[in-house]
Amino acid sequence: MIDRSAEQRNPGLIQRWRETYGEGSVKVCASHAKIATIENADWKLLCRGSMNLNYNPRFEQMDITEGGEDFDLVKRVEEELPTLPPMCSSSDSRIASKLDFAFEMTELKPLESMKTWQK
């Protein structure tokens, strides 16, 4: 699962991934998560971390677990995401992520007065 902006910044890398592992191995969505599943006949690895795909000299977090409910949950989310075409639109990634179904607008109203950290 990658955010649409990752493909915008690294189109060659993402295209090579698709060519190597198949079109369906890249799921584009609106996300800031850094999560990957890797599996074969013997392993079901779930990799999670805070790092972006760029140079960063700061301390970051990463963990890898094998199997378990956390792997199954992320795998289910991946499977529910459609496979979007390369360089899809922001609107397409938002629709694929089903963000508009996450909250009712009335639930988000109290957050309107909060400071925006980055635009």
Side-chain angles (χ1 to χ4, degrees):
M1 285 187 284
I2 62 167
D3 185 69
R4 178 183 169 271
S5 64
E7 184 170 26
Q8 304 296 313
R9 289 188 308 273
N10 299 294
L13 173 65
I14 303 305
Q15 183 56 37
R16 284 193 306 276
W17 185 276
R18 284 186 173 106
E19 289 167 1
T20 303
Y21 301 105
E23 289 293 320
S25 68
V26 175
K27 300 293 184 124
V28 178
C29 58
S31 173
H32 193 64
K34 286 84 171 170
I35 303 172
T37 56
I38 304 169
E39 64 181 307
N40 63 25
D42 300 317
W43 298 94
K44 291 184 174 186
L45 300 178
L46 178 62
C47 307
R48 295 169 288 215
S50 61
M51 294 90 52
N52 290 323
L53 289 176
N54 59 12
Y55 173 73
N56 182 354
R58 295 174 290 187
F59 184 75
E60 298 278 0
Q61 172 274 328
M62 180 176 179
D63 66 81
I64 300 173
T65 57
E66 200 283 316
E69 292 180 15
D70 49 351
F71 177 91
D72 295 339
L73 173 64
V74 173
K75 194 68 179 170
R76 197 165 65 241
V77 170
E78 287 176 340
E79 290 168 355
E80 289 179 11
L81 287 169
T83 301
L84 298 175
M87 304 302 278
C88 68
S89 71
S90 180
S91 175
D92 288 341
S93 70
R94 189 173 170 79
I95 291 167
S97 304
K98 299 181 182 177
L99 292 178
D100 295 334
F101 298 111
F103 299 97
E104 296 290 330
M105 291 311 293
T106 55
E107 294 175 296
L108 299 175
K109 192 84 172 143
L111 302 176
E112 288 179 350
S113 63
M114 293 181 73
K115 179 181 179 179
T116 301
W117 292 99
Q118 183 177 356
K119 288 187 179 184

